Structures are given as structure tokens and as C-alpha cells.
Amino acid sequence: MRGLIIIPAFNEEKVIADTLDKLIACEGEWDIVVVNDGSKDRTEEIVVGKNIRCVSLLVNLGIGTAVQTGYKLARKEDYDWALQFDADGQHQGDQIKPLLEAFTGEEACVIGSRYLTGDYQNTLFRRCGAFYFSLLLKIMGCSEVTDPSSGFRLCDRRAIALFADNYPLDYPEVEARLMLNRRSLKVKEIPITMAPRQGGVSSINRFGALYYFAKVSLSMILKGGR
Amino acid sequence: MIGLLTEVTISPKGPIQLWTGIVAFVVLLFLVLLVRKNHLKASYSLLWFGGWTLCAFFIVFPPYLDVISKDIFGIEYSPTMLLLMMIMTLGLIILHLTTVITRQSKQINVLAQEMALLKEKL
């Protein structure tokens, strides 16, 4: 069984080296690919310098397109698993094993949830967001949703094929879940711990939040995961 | 200003119709030129031709505008009908443009992804 870790990165020169070092130290069996989403800084140079595969988009096309590039690579090279991993140091390499162990063969996707353990600190605003999107997903038929926007997820071949063909463009996590559900692909959440962000900026800033809520809600309701 | 507009557009036979007629014709000619020189795709020009011909017709022949406006839609002030037609035409064209942009951005995404994957292989 072969697995590919997909790390989307946009202007992450400050943290990418540290993230990669930690990941390599605790996870030797997985292949790693960094999808450089048109970074203007030294991200690509650092990744290549560490002898890690770097797929570079010429222009910045957004997180959804970057992640999808990884899924396309995973499908093309016939990987059994693909794992999304943040470049900013929030995700931890030692959490990959529990994610893989949670697979029973039935699920198409196992997602690491920050909120299942109950000790993850986050702003009230973000908790409200998580609650809102969990509720929306449940109304639309998804089960056991606690961390709808978690980007720490492991996909099997079915999910890889689905996302390689069709993946939401911006703020893709919540919608991607609905897409899986629509095709009756089972999703499971397991508790994980996440570190606080080491650097870089969240793709969701305060002013973008309203757009985020409106866009994702509208897209989910109108498209229903199509 | 409004009085002037009324007089100008609704007057049944004024020299203004000659001028509006010429302007409408020049615009149509310009559209034809754009298509011929490949500066405008024929498919995209359809909406312009359709919308402009419709509006130009009523500008040049205001009595017909009165019929449509007052008798059919019940709009007392005929130029409103003309403005409504123009706004709807423009709205339709803009909506069409956004669908084109959506399609193109999807295509750009696919091209960029494939290119990045190929480049990494080399």
C-alpha cells in the first residue's frame, strides 16, 4: 500500500522547512509532495533543497485548485491513499498513523477532528462557524460531523478519483464532505490534536468570513455536493 | 431634462430620428466589423445584435414603443419601457459574460494543474 502526503503551500517560507523536517522524522513510509500555489517567496527553493517533490503552479489559483493538483497526481501515479497536510505546522506527523488505523476498509475518507477530544482551544467565532457548518452538513444528510473544516484528512482511491475530477475552488473542506456523502462514500472522524498555527495566515481572515459563510452555504444548498 | 427626453424620443416625426437612426446603424456596422476582424466571437455577438436591434428599432420608431409600453405593459411613460429593455439586455449580456468567465477560469485551472504536473516530471 502506497500513500501520498499532499501539502498545499502558498508563501510558507518561514514554516515549510520545519514542517517538512518534523514530518520526515516521524513518517518515513509515505511519499510527500508539496503543491506550491504560485508562491512569491522561497517556498519552492526550500522544498526542492530538501529533496522533496514540488509541483509548482505558475500562478496563485487558490487552495482548492492546489489540493486538487495533489489528488490528480495521486490518481495518475496510482496511490492507494492520499493525505492532506497543512504547511503551516498545524497538523502533526504522529497523527497520521491513528488516521490510517481508523480505516476499516469501509470508509472513503477519515478526517481528524479537533473537537472530539474537547481540549482544543479556538476562538468563539470559529467554534460558532464549526457548529453552523456541522449543523448544515447534518441537515443535508451527513452523519457524525464535529469538525467540518478540518483539512487533515485521509482519502482512499474512491475519494482520490472523485476529488481529482471535481473539487471545490475556495474553502473546499466543508463542501468536499458533502460531495462524499452525496456519492454514499462513508466518512469517519477520529479525535486528533492540532498544534497552534506556527506562521502564515489563515485562508479565512475576518473580512473574508462573511464571504466564506455566504459562499459555502449557497454553494452547498444550490449544488448539494454535485 | 425629462421633458426634453420625452419630446425627443416620443416625437413622431422629428429630425432626431434621422440622427438616432444613423447612430444605431453605425453601432451595428461596428459590431459587424468586430466580428469580421475576429475581435468578437460570433457567438458572443448574437446578444449584442439582438439587444441592440431591438432597442434601436424602438428609438427610431417611437410610435411602436408607445404601443408596446402603454397598451401592452401599461407603462404610461414610454421612455421607461426603453430603459427597461436596455437594462435587461445589458443584464443578460453581463450574466452571459460571467458564465463565460466561470468556464474559462475552470479551463485555466485545468491547464495550470496539468502544466505544473508535467513540469515537475521533467
Side-chain angles (χ1 to χ4, degrees):
Chain A
M1 297 290 249
R2 295 159 66 233
L4 179 70
I5 299 176
I6 302 164
I7 308 177
F10 174 55
N11 292 344
E12 304 276 13
E13 64 176 3
K14 290 199 181 82
V15 285
I16 189 87
D18 195 41
T19 302
L20 289 175
D21 286 341
K22 281 185 187 157
L23 186 59
I24 296 163
C26 61
E27 199 49 68
E29 292 168 27
W30 290 65
D31 294 336
I32 301 172
V33 64
V34 173
V35 182
N36 169 29
D37 188 12
S39 296
K40 292 265 180 266
D41 63 2
R42 293 175 52 243
T43 303
E44 182 175 13
E45 195 187 320
I46 294 167
V47 175
V48 172
K50 289 197 175 293
N51 247 338
I52 282 171
R53 295 182 75 179
C54 185
V55 174
S56 276
L57 296 165
L58 287 179
V59 284
N60 178 249
L61 291 169
I63 176 77
T65 308
V67 169
Q68 192 188 33
T69 309
Y71 284 119
K72 284 188 171 174
L73 183 71
R75 182 174 61 176
K76 213 169 245 176
E77 302 191 351
D78 212 28
Y79 280 96
D80 299 294
W81 312 106
L83 175 97
Q84 259 174 265
F85 199 85
D86 277 5
D88 62 12
Q90 274 193 300
H91 298 162
Q92 292 166 321
D94 57 3
Q95 305 282 323
I96 295 175
K97 218 174 201 129
L99 220 52
L100 194 56
E101 281 166 357
F103 257 107
T104 61
E106 211 183 318
E107 301 86 1
C109 183
V110 177
I111 299 175
S113 168
R114 288 163 283 187
Y115 301 115
L116 273 175
T117 48
D119 59 357
Y120 183 75
Q121 295 299 312
N122 215 337
T123 60
L124 181 69
F125 187 67
R126 277 170 186 273
R127 278 180 175 272
C128 286
F131 177 77
Y132 167 73
F133 282 120
S134 299
L135 192 69
L136 198 57
L137 279 172
K138 279 177 195 159
I139 289 170
M140 300 189 79
C142 300
S143 54
E144 297 169 51
V145 189
T146 62
D147 194 351
S149 62
S150 168
F152 193 53
R153 42 185 65 184
L154 182 63
C155 294
D156 80 341
R157 285 169 173 277
R158 291 169 294 173
I160 290 172
L162 172 64
F163 292 151
D165 279 334
N166 186 10
Y167 199 66
L169 289 177
D170 40 6
Y171 314 123
E173 286 81 13
V174 188
E175 273 185 85
R177 219 160 146 155
L178 197 59
M179 286 172 62
L180 290 166
N181 187 62
R182 189 183 169 81
R183 285 153 187 87
S184 306
L185 295 173
K186 216 176 157 211
V187 178
K188 185 184 193 174
E189 278 190 358
I190 62 155
I192 52 141
T193 54
M194 265 192 215
R197 184 182 294 279
Q198 303 295 305
V201 280
S202 166
S203 57
I204 305 163
N205 62 42
R206 196 169 290 179
F207 300 104
L210 196 68
Y211 166 74
Y212 171 54
F213 276 86
K215 186 258 159 185
V216 176
S217 305
L218 189 74
S219 188
M220 284 169 74
I221 292 163
L222 293 186
K223 288 159 80 180
R226 271 179 198 87
Chain B
M1 179 64 202
I2 290 172
L4 188 71
L5 194 68
T6 323
E7 218 168 286
V8 161
T9 359
I10 301 201
S11 72
K13 277 181 202 150
I16 187 70
Q17 278 164 268
L18 182 70
W19 292 111
T20 49
I22 289 171
V23 171
F25 184 70
V26 168
V27 172
L28 279 178
L29 216 59
F30 183 59
L31 282 174
V32 170
L33 205 70
L34 284 178
V35 176
R36 280 174 64 98
K37 294 221 159 192
N38 278 331
H39 292 315
L40 180 65
K41 268 178 118 175
S43 53
Y44 296 162
S45 72
L46 279 177
L47 271 172
W48 282 112
F49 275 121
W52 181 250
T53 311
L54 191 73
C55 293
F57 176 81
F58 288 115
I59 291 171
V60 180
F61 304 104
Y64 294 101
L65 182 65
D66 273 352
V67 173
I68 297 263
S69 171
K70 289 180 182 152
D71 301 345
I72 297 178
F73 287 93
I75 297 172
E76 277 305 305
Y77 186 56
S78 302
T80 313
M81 185 68 209
L82 193 61
L83 287 175
L84 190 69
M85 275 201 279
M86 288 175 164
I87 291 170
M88 280 169 67
T89 306
L90 291 179
L92 205 64
I93 290 173
I94 293 168
L95 183 65
H96 176 241
L97 282 182
T98 43
T99 64
V100 172
I101 292 172
T102 306
R103 191 172 62 229
Q104 287 186 338
S105 66
K106 268 194 234 159
Q107 292 166 335
I108 289 171
N109 278 355
V110 174
L111 286 173
Q113 287 175 328
E114 289 301 323
M115 189 174 165
L117 290 171
L118 283 173
K119 230 174 104 188
E120 192 260 344
K121 266 226 171 100
L122 290 176

